[in-house]
Amino acid sequence: MDGTGGAGGPRQMEESKPLLGEMSATEGSKTGAARCRRPLLHCHGMRYKLLQEGDIQVCVIRHPRTFLSKILTSKFLRRWEPHHLSLAENSLASATPTGYMENSISYSAIEDVQLLSWENAPKYCLQLTIPGGTVLLQAANSYLRDQWFHSLQWKKKIYKYKKVLSNPSRWEVVLKEIRTLVDMALTSPLQDDSIHQAPLEIVSKLLSENSILTTQDHESIIVAIAPLLENNHPPPDLCEFFCKHCRERPRSMVVIEVFTPVVQRILKHNMDFGKCPRLRLFTQEYILALNELNAGMEVVKKFIHSMHGPTGQCPHPRVLPNLVAVCLAAIYSCYEEFINSRDNSPSLKEIRNGCQQQCDRKPNLPLRLLHTSPDLVSQEATLTESRLKSVIVTSNEIHVEVERNNTTNQKMTANVSNDSEPNLIDCLMVSPTCSTMSIELSAQADRILGCYVEILKMLSDYDDWRPALASLLQPIPFPKEALAHEKFTKELKYVIQRFAEDPRQEVHSCLLSVRAGKDGWFQLYSPGGVACDDDGELFASMVHILMGSCYKTKKFLLSLAENKLGPCMLLALRGNQTMVEILCLMLEYNIIDNNDTQLQIISTLESTDVGKRMYEQLCDRQRELKELQRKGGPTRLTLPSKSTDADLARLLSSGSFGNLENLSLAFTNVTSACAEHLIKLPSLKQLNLWSTQFGDAGLRLLSEHLTMLQVLNLCETPVTDAGLLALSSMKSLCSLNMNSTKLSADTYEDLKAKLPNLKEVDVRYTEAW
């Protein structure tokens, strides 16, 4: 059927080339399946774009075949007509159906396509042999002629295969035709996406219309089209067939040998799963099939590692977002039937909203002082019988049982005498009654959930992936039902712990909410949050890392005091050192205005050895500060060059500097660590840090405490925009030297807008200059 200009001859085929290397060798022995891949065929030489339409000269000759040689040498060949031909799906047609091309030419009517070459003949011609005549096409040059030749051949062959495979009779013949079709696509000189997609679509249609095929037939067809899948995404219908095969035969070697490179290609490319949901579903089913092998999650772990690569940095930026998208879709599917439930009972709404209805909440009890007051009246604790409501929702996938135990408020018992006091622990433990929800998934949904949560845990173990993973999970892209599921939040806790342990700010800052008023992981895993199951250990770890890097310390402490003071006090009462430090900082920074609350914090600190020690140190610092303010001291001070942080600390601790207004540390070796001592100078108005190693961390601390600073020299210091932006809170600044720093133009404009008293500014040798 090929013309004289057809590319590629017969090729020797192999049936035993392994595809996956290490993974296939690992799992191949488990199934006993034979290797079943053919090598990819290549076509060398000129490459052409598949033509869909174009301008060309046409001449049609009607003749008996016995006189062809005579006619080809006649002058009749000079009668050419210009036509704009379209290579449609079934025929060759002209945009102006007149003359030679009044009727379209069906591909089935074309008996042969050949390049013409004879003496004194028009150049760049090709011949289409049709019943009762010949159609001659003349192109403008040899490349265009060859392009028309290969495009016509391709259209004719694809039309033939569509006909043959649309009405199969013997499947061994069908399989042979599919192999020939695949080889034709691989050896075609045409370079176009449709060249490889067309055979896949033909096979996809064949499979969808013949549901009685045996499993062996399925695997044979998959193996036959495997070479096309290595560089092409399968069409939607074929994806559904692959999904079905993964579900029904997860241990088949076809899954590992053939599907692995297909899934790898999907994950490595910029994939819009919104437009191609079946590709995402196929990837999901493939991973679940790997999990069904004997090694289970070890095979999945090897696959994830193969996607990351052996180096510390993954070379494919799309792998992580695509994997996360697959995980999120799989986890959502576990709760999908429940989410789409039509039951509108109040208890279901309660679960969907992730909280109790407002009418069922118990009012917050105010924290009481440990010390008794004459106004406290002796009361007897009363408790009424609880009212129990139970709702059970049954579906194919999920059984949900909701129990709500509404109890009346318990009243505190206190005696007028000084011998008895309200119990602080009881006060801290009082909170609105929470719904206890037990979400039971089916065995299949439970396996899916376990697999994909485990993958998220694997992803969080890669240092280079962790920042992007934290950013993707920061908006909490899981349904409320998942967050109310104890097993899910318990397993996901590992991922949040990895974020909390990461010293990089771009990672652990993602524990906070995306915007104000919306809960983040920090809130969900804090005591009282829906995901907290460890009495606040993870919460304390998150607070510790956030306090260590948050330059807006006061703002963070204010947030804790407003929303999480009770949990902080309870953890401090149990001896958690981080929370003891938090309470001490609240006292030191005057975060708590209410005297009663301050006394409660003091009582909490004095309840433990570590709290008592830190509170005594706080009192010592406070007394030193009061002494410093009372005694006064010099108003100007200059440290010698090469002085260190330790030198400055010894100097400031040797006497009183309550009146110090002007301090010069220019050309010394001080760093940001000295800021802890500088903030103890209450009268400081002028500070010279020229040519020191004072950086962003120290600048942030100064901005929170030295609000009366008027003159600041940061010339030739390593400060950047991250620290300079904090200066916007120092409204008293009137002179600022940022010469030779990493100041940007945007930050400079921002500072000018936020510092109304700023009159003298030096920004030479910066981006803002």
Side-chain angles (χ1 to χ4, degrees), residues 63-328:
H63 62 87
R65 293 190 182 185
T66 53
F67 300 105
L68 175 60
S69 57
K70 295 182 180 180
I71 296 177
L72 290 179
T73 57
S74 69
K75 294 182 180 180
F76 188 73
L77 291 178
R78 297 176 184 174
R79 297 178 56 187
W80 296 91
E81 292 179 357
H83 282 274
H84 186 83
L85 300 185
S86 298
L87 283 77
E89 184 177 353
N90 302 321
S91 62
L92 180 68
S94 174
T96 55
T98 57
Y100 292 140
M101 296 300 299
E102 183 176 359
N103 299 315
S104 61
I105 302 174
S106 173
Y107 295 134
S108 59
I110 300 177
E111 298 173 0
D112 196 9
V113 181
Q114 292 182 339
L115 296 173
L116 283 187
S117 177
W118 72 95
E119 190 176 354
N120 298 325
K123 294 182 179 180
Y124 317 129
C125 283
L126 53 107
Q127 168 189 320
L128 312 182
T129 302
I130 60 175
T134 300
V135 178
L136 302 178
L137 304 179
Q138 181 178 354
N141 51 60
S142 60
Y143 181 86
L144 191 59
R145 175 201 61 191
D146 293 344
Q147 189 177 15
W148 275 96
F149 172 73
H150 292 298
S151 298
L152 279 167
Q153 271 198 328
W154 173 258
K155 289 285 187 178
K156 182 177 181 297
K157 291 177 181 179
I158 286 296
Y159 179 79
K160 168 209 160 186
Y161 281 111
K162 285 181 180 179
K163 289 289 187 182
V164 171
L165 297 178
S166 63
N167 188 22
S169 54
R170 297 169 54 198
W171 282 103
E172 58 272 16
V173 176
V174 169
L175 185 60
K176 183 178 179 181
E177 292 290 346
I178 290 176
R179 288 173 176 167
T180 307
L181 173 62
V182 171
D183 292 342
M184 182 187 74
L186 295 174
T187 57
S188 173
L190 294 171
Q191 193 169 20
D192 194 274
D193 291 341
S194 62
I195 298 302
H196 290 165
Q197 284 295 326
L200 292 176
E201 290 172 359
I202 291 174
V203 174
S204 177
K205 184 178 180 182
L206 171 69
L207 292 171
S208 64
E209 293 178 352
N210 296 272
S211 56
I212 60 173
L213 292 178
T214 66
T215 302
Q216 186 59 45
D217 291 333
H218 286 170
E219 294 195 355
S220 299
I221 292 174
I222 293 173
V223 170
I225 63 175
L228 294 179
L229 295 172
E230 292 185 17
N231 295 307
N232 298 274
H233 296 319
D237 290 341
L238 202 56
C239 280
E240 285 193 0
F241 171 72
F242 288 170
C243 289
K244 181 181 177 183
H245 193 79
C246 287
R247 286 191 294 268
E248 294 178 353
R249 299 220 30 188
R251 295 172 178 267
S252 166
M253 277 306 296
V254 167
V255 173
I256 293 180
E257 293 268 349
V258 180
F259 290 168
T260 296
V262 181
V263 174
Q264 287 175 336
R265 186 178 188 277
I266 291 172
L267 292 176
K268 289 177 181 178
H269 284 71
N270 191 6
M271 186 58 56
D272 185 354
F273 284 132
K275 295 180 179 178
C276 309
R278 293 180 184 177
L279 287 177
R280 181 183 61 200
L281 184 61
F282 168 50
T283 306
Q284 176 182 329
E285 294 291 347
Y286 165 79
I287 293 175
L288 290 175
L290 293 185
N291 193 35
E292 292 294 322
L293 298 176
N294 291 341
M297 289 307 301
E298 283 300 316
V299 182
V300 177
K301 186 175 182 179
K302 288 181 181 179
F303 174 74
I304 298 296
H305 183 70
S306 72
M307 296 308 305
H308 178 276
T311 62
Q313 194 74 23
C314 178
H316 305 288
R318 291 303 308 171
V319 167
L320 178 66
N322 286 338
L323 275 173
V324 173
V326 171
C327 290
L328 295 180

